[in-house]
Every structure is written in structure tokens, then in C-alpha cells.
Amino acid sequence: MDYFKFYDIPLSFSPDQALVKKKFYVFSKQYHPDFFVNESEEKQQEILELSTLNNKAFQTLSNPDKLLPYVLTLKDVLIDGEKYNLPQDFLMDMMDVNEAIMELEFEQDVTKLLEARKNADQIETNLNSELGLLTVDFENLNDDLAREILLKIKDIWYRKKYLLRIRESIDKFATR
């Protein structure tokens, strides 16, 4: 089930968090399994499913890292198991960062480590800035423009995933 429909809120990359929390608490009380112990097995199972749905909806809608891919999936832009090709210019930028990380394997240099982290931070800042601009007022766009924006958001999501792997490599060297 669509979590936005379940909570009866508009589809958005930035749903009203106070409303999300309010819906969560209302449904938590309404669908709490302890209130249905004297009901039939079928009713108890139904309530358990609704309680689980409520928890999953809240976890997704209140976490930007889960919300973004969820919306992209709802809009049929992000497909599970999809092979996505990142743009060549991004991969070239990442190659420079990867080379700096590989050099750290042979020569532990705090300056180079800090430089790699600084580069990753700057790339992430730029991606987040672009993402913020794309997701603003998304729900007010016409379908054609919305689709174009969704594809750009998808690209940023994949870039951020790639960057996360870079950060993990940097952190690995930082702990040595």
C-alpha cells in the first residue's frame, strides 16, 4: 500500500513531519494489537498487518534517505535491480577521489586523507543542493515536467549511493 495514501497526505519529497508523526500516533493507538486480544484470529491478523504498515510508513516518510527512493519507486522511476549508468563527468570526478584513496593504501598521509574527505564533502554538498532545488514544490508540477525532474532526482540518488561507498573507503583509512 502507498504510505502517502495510508496517511492521507499528499505525495511529496518533504511531507509535513508534524502531520506524519500525528498520523503515526493516531494509527498506533487505533491499530495496537493489545486492544484486539479478544477478537477473532482474522481480526488480530488484520490489525497486526495494519500496525506493521503504520510502522513502515512512519519509518519511510520520516527518513529522507528512505523517502527519496520510496517516492522514485512509487513513480516508477526507480526499478529494483536496475543497471544504472552514471554520467561520465561524475565518474571522472570520482576517479580522482578513488586515486587519492588508493594512494593512501601505500602511503598513509593525513593531509591526503583530509583532502579526499574534503573533496567528497564538496561533491556531497553540491548534490544535496541540487537535490533540494529539484524536490521543492515537486507535487505542483505537471506530469511531463515532473517526470523529467524525477529522472534528475534518480540520477542524484545514484550519485549519492556511489559517494557513500567512497566515504566508507575514506573512513576505513581514517581508522587505521
Side-chain angles (χ1 to χ4, degrees):
M1 164 162 242
D2 179 339
Y3 299 150
F4 292 100
K5 289 179 182 172
F6 181 67
Y7 278 1
D8 193 28
I9 60 175
L11 186 138
S12 172
F13 283 103
S14 53
D16 180 341
Q17 289 302 306
L19 185 56
V20 168
K21 191 179 281 190
K22 180 180 176 184
K23 294 283 190 169
F24 171 72
Y25 286 128
V26 166
F27 287 150
S28 291
K29 289 179 185 177
Q30 185 178 345
Y31 301 129
H32 197 285
D34 289 348
F35 297 135
F36 296 87
V37 292
N38 295 327
E39 296 291 333
S40 69
E41 188 69 34
E42 289 172 350
K43 184 67 173 177
Q44 287 181 31
Q45 186 61 37
E46 175 190 343
I47 293 302
L48 185 59
E49 288 172 8
L50 288 168
S51 178
T52 301
L53 177 61
N54 183 42
N55 287 325
K56 287 180 179 180
F58 180 73
Q59 289 170 4
T60 300
L61 299 180
S62 62
N63 181 337
D65 292 330
K66 292 181 180 181
L67 178 62
L68 192 132
Y70 179 73
V71 172
L72 293 174
T73 301
L74 272 180
K75 292 299 210 170
D76 296 322
V77 174
L78 188 62
I79 298 155
D80 195 31
E82 171 183 31
K83 193 102 163 128
Y84 187 78
N85 294 320
L86 289 163
Q88 200 63 35
D89 61 333
F90 176 76
L91 292 174
M92 293 303 288
D93 290 342
M94 291 299 97
M95 189 169 75
D96 293 341
V97 176
N98 275 318
E99 285 176 2
I101 293 170
M102 286 187 340
E103 287 177 16
L104 292 171
E105 282 191 45
F106 302 108
E107 177 186 345
Q108 291 187 357
D109 182 339
V110 174
T111 306
K112 288 182 180 180
L113 177 67
L114 292 174
E115 182 71 23
R117 182 173 280 146
K118 181 181 171 187
N119 288 342
D121 287 347
Q122 185 60 52
I123 293 166
E124 185 173 33
T125 297
N126 293 344
L127 289 173
N128 287 335
S129 177
E130 188 178 350
L131 183 61
L133 293 172
L134 291 170
T135 58
V136 170
D137 294 329
F138 163 78
E139 57 270 11
N140 298 326
L141 301 174
N142 69 45
D143 288 344
D144 290 336
L145 188 54
R147 180 91 179 142
E148 183 180 322
I149 296 297
L150 286 169
L151 292 172
K152 290 178 182 179
I153 292 170
K154 173 184 172 179
D155 182 70
I156 291 172
W157 184 75
Y158 273 108
R159 290 177 194 219
K160 286 179 61 123
K161 280 183 62 169
Y162 189 98
L163 189 59
L164 180 61
R165 289 192 300 269
I166 297 284
R167 285 192 167 289
E168 288 168 353
S169 295
I170 292 171
D171 291 344
K172 181 178 86 175
F173 285 106
T175 58
R176 285 186 178 178

